Amino acid sequence: MSFLDLAKSRYTTKAYNENEKITDEKLNQLKEILQLSPSSINSQPWKFIFVSDEKTKQELASVSFFNEKKINESSHLIVFSVIDEIEKFEEQIQQNLPEGSVNYYNTFVKPLSEAEIKSWLKHQVYLSLGFFLSACASLEIDSSPMEGLKSEEYDKILGLEGYKTLFAVVIGYRNPNDTNQPSVKLKSRLPLEKVVESI
């Protein structure tokens, strides 16, 4: 299937088949794909947590507002977190990136305020989200990205230190009766000419 066809067919799944689980082979592919996600200067300020343990999944679901049902029905929940300690991030890039990349950070990012630096770090994690959703579609896995969760509660449940939860993605296989799938509810997007310009 072409990438355009994948884009037309993928959608945010609202109901999952709780009896159908993703294979370890596909999960390992998704993990490797996330590891290969792009980021500015190859900064990689992230940690991705794959949650399959039902008890933990239920705990996280209980602090996820209206997303609780889909999390409990899903195969897995992937939590996307961002490094939250600037000094820790700077140590990481000093140890892992070439001099040119570190110099870029020191010249253009480090002089910014703490809030601006942390915003820049968060933007990198959002790049990985688009990459991940496309990967899921290519593996015929359904997905639901969501920001509707209590980030601080997620951090406590997962015991995150030095990282903060940004958002999560539910993955699994759709319930055949899901009313949000394109065969039932047509995709709604602004006209192409409204969102794309050629100069």
Side-chain angles (χ1 to χ4, degrees):
M1 186 182 292
S2 72
F3 195 89
L4 179 58
D5 288 334
L6 286 176
K8 289 177 178 177
S9 62
R10 86 144 302 277
Y11 75 106
T12 297
T13 307
K14 301 296 185 185
Y16 285 85
N17 179 353
E18 59 189 331
N19 297 316
E20 194 172 1
K21 302 299 181 185
I22 299 168
T23 65
D24 287 343
E25 180 187 357
K26 286 190 175 184
L27 287 170
N28 289 335
Q29 286 186 58
L30 288 176
K31 290 173 183 178
E32 191 171 350
I33 287 166
L34 275 175
Q35 181 200 13
L36 295 167
S37 294
S39 59
S40 177
I41 67 165
N42 198 22
S43 51
Q44 305 173 74
W46 46 49
K47 184 177 285 186
F48 310 108
I49 302 167
F50 281 63
V51 181
S52 58
D53 176 71
E54 288 301 325
K55 181 177 180 295
T56 306
K57 201 146 61 88
Q58 287 168 12
E59 283 185 65
L60 294 169
S62 72
V63 291
S64 301
F65 303 114
F66 53 84
N67 292 303
E68 182 171 4
K69 186 174 186 291
K70 69 170 73 84
I71 293 172
N72 284 326
E73 292 174 344
S74 72
S75 176
H76 289 74
L77 178 67
I78 292 76
V79 180
F80 288 63
S81 68
V82 64
I83 202 164
D84 192 52
E85 297 172 1
I86 293 172
E87 286 184 7
K88 182 175 179 174
F89 171 71
E90 290 175 351
E91 286 174 14
Q92 175 177 299
I93 63 172
Q94 286 282 355
Q95 293 169 5
N96 296 287
L97 297 187
E99 183 180 357
S101 297
V102 175
N103 287 342
Y104 176 93
Y105 171 82
N106 287 335
T107 303
F108 297 106
V109 182
K110 190 178 176 71
L112 301 174
S113 69
E114 179 180 348
E116 289 172 313
I117 294 172
K118 288 187 173 182
S119 176
W120 180 81
L121 294 172
K122 289 175 184 177
H123 289 160
Q124 310 317 312
V125 184
Y126 275 89
L127 286 176
S128 72
L129 173 62
F131 206 58
F132 183 73
L133 295 179
S134 299
C136 287
S138 75
L139 293 169
E140 299 182 323
I141 293 170
D142 294 306
S143 61
S144 307
M146 54 189 197
E147 293 180 303
L149 48 84
K150 296 181 181 179
S151 300
E152 291 183 2
E153 294 298 319
Y154 265 58
D155 296 344
K156 288 177 189 173
I157 292 167
L158 297 170
L160 286 180
E161 292 184 8
Y163 290 84
K164 295 280 186 187
T165 299
L166 281 183
F167 53 87
V169 180
V170 174
I171 60 173
Y173 297 100
R174 72 188 70 174
N175 184 314
N177 298 318
D178 184 5
T179 57
N180 205 44
Q181 55 190 313
S183 61
V184 178
K185 180 182 176 183
L186 293 177
K187 271 183 179 283
S188 175
R189 295 293 189 273
L190 292 170
L192 185 65
E193 61 272 15
K194 289 265 190 183
V195 295
V196 179
E197 287 188 17
S198 298
I199 297 175

